[in-house]
Amino acid sequence: AQTGKLAWESKLGPAYGNQKAKLEELLKAKKPEERSYAWWTSPIAVDNKIVVFPNYSGGRSKSYGLKAVDPETGKERWHFRDTINGRSSFPIQVKLEGQTYILCASYEGGLYLVDPRAGKIIWSVTKGLGVNSQTLMGYKNRVLLNTVPPGQARGPAGLYACYEFDLKGAKEVWTLPDKLINKHEWWPDAGAHRKIVIDGENDQIHIVDSKHPKVTPNGKRWRYWLRFKLSTGELIAENSYATDMH
C-alpha cells in the first residue's frame, strides 16, 4: 500500500477471466446492445491476517466457493466449494464469544459459519432455506434469509425468515406470512441489500420491496413499504405507493 506496487496476484477462478475477456471483446467491437454480466462481490480482510473472497468457476450448480489467502504471500490457505454465491455476494464477519467468524449463504440453499483461522466449517444449515444470492443482512446474531426453494425465487417469489445463530448452530426465529405483500425479489440488482434497512437498536426492519401485480392506468406498479419487529417478525406498519422504479 505504501508503494502501489503489485505484491502478489491470486486467480479467482476461470469464470472471472472469461467474463473479463468477454467485456474487453464487447468494448473493442463497440456493441452496446450486448452486455457482459457484472459481479457483485468483494474480498474481506479478517483480523488483518487473512483475506477471504468468493470464488466462482462458472455456471450455477457446484461452482461457487469461498477461498482464503495469506495477505503477505497470496498463497491459498483454504478453499470450500458450494458455500456462497461467488458471483453476486460476499461473506460477512460476525463476532461470537470474542472471536471473528465468517457467515455466508449459498445459491443452493445453505447457511454456513466458517472459522477463517482454522479453515473449518463450524456448522451448516442445508434444509428449509432457498436461493440466497445476496450478501447477508443481519444484526448481531440474527440474519435474514430467503426460504423459497432454489429455482422458485425469481421475481416476487422469495420470502424472508429470521435465523438466530451461535457457535452451536442456527435456528429459525420467525418467517413472514406467505402472502403477496411479503413476497420479494432475490436477484442481485433488485434484492435485499437495496431494499432493507435494519434498525437493530429499535428492534425494527424496514423493507421497501414487494411488487404487486396491480398496474396503475399510467403504467406504474404498486409497491409496498413494510416495517416489522426484528425480534418477532410482527408487522408494525405498511404503506403502498405506485412507481415505475426498478
Side-chain angles (χ1 to χ4, degrees), residues 101-148:
Y101 295 87
I102 294 172
L103 193 68
C104 55
S106 70
Y107 191 94
E108 288 78 14
L111 178 67
Y112 302 87
L113 183 72
V114 177
D115 183 343
R117 296 161 297 278
K120 178 183 178 181
I121 296 178
I122 304 298
W123 51 253
S124 62
V125 176
T126 56
K127 293 183 179 180
L129 298 178
V131 175
N132 283 283
S133 61
Q134 300 290 309
T135 297
L136 294 175
M137 300 288 294
Y139 179 74
K140 293 186 177 179
N141 67 329
R142 292 199 172 191
V143 64
L144 297 182
L145 296 162
N146 174 38
T147 60
V148 175

Side-chain angles (χ1 to χ4, degrees), residues 212-240:
H212 193 282
K214 179 182 176 182
V215 177
T216 64
N218 60 357
K220 295 187 177 183
R221 188 173 295 277
W222 287 101
R223 300 186 78 96
Y224 292 94
W225 166 74
L226 308 172
R227 186 154 52 102
F228 299 91
K229 281 190 175 182
L230 174 61
S231 57
T232 64
E234 176 188 350
L235 179 65
I236 301 172
E238 67 177 74
N239 191 23
S240 61

Side-chain angles (χ1 to χ4, degrees), residues 41-170:
T41 186
S42 173
I44 61 172
V46 181
D47 296 336
N48 294 320
K49 295 180 180 179
I50 187 169
V51 177
V52 181
F53 53 86
N55 190 36
Y56 179 48
S57 301
R60 291 184 177 178
S61 179
K62 298 184 181 303
S63 60
Y64 302 107
L66 199 63
K67 181 178 179 180
V69 299
D70 186 302
E72 296 295 328
T73 64
K75 291 184 178 180
E76 182 176 311
R77 296 270 299 266
W78 47 261
H79 184 198
F80 298 120
R81 295 179 63 85
D82 312 325
T83 49
I84 192 171
N85 187 337
R87 178 172 169 175
S88 59
S89 65
F90 55 89
I92 63 172
Q93 300 184 59
V94 296
K95 284 282 188 180
L96 293 172
E97 298 183 8
Q99 295 289 329
T100 301
Y101 295 87
I102 294 172
L103 193 68
C104 55
S106 70
Y107 191 94
E108 288 78 14
L111 178 67
Y112 302 87
L113 183 72
V114 177
D115 183 343
R117 296 161 297 278
K120 178 183 178 181
I121 296 178
I122 304 298
W123 51 253
S124 62
V125 176
T126 56
K127 293 183 179 180
L129 298 178
V131 175
N132 283 283
S133 61
Q134 300 290 309
T135 297
L136 294 175
M137 300 288 294
Y139 179 74
K140 293 186 177 179
N141 67 329
R142 292 199 172 191
V143 64
L144 297 182
L145 296 162
N146 174 38
T147 60
V148 175
Q152 299 180 29
R154 183 163 191 164
L159 195 63
Y160 290 110
C162 179
Y163 273 66
E164 190 173 72
F165 60 89
D166 56 24
L167 287 177
K168 296 180 180 180

Side-chain angles (χ1 to χ4, degrees), residues 21-40:
K22 181 179 178 181
L23 178 58
E24 292 174 348
E25 180 181 344
L26 292 177
L27 291 173
K28 184 177 181 180
K30 297 181 180 180
K31 295 181 178 181
E33 71 279 4
E34 296 187 31
R35 63 177 178 172
S36 177
Y37 288 99
W39 309 90
W40 296 269

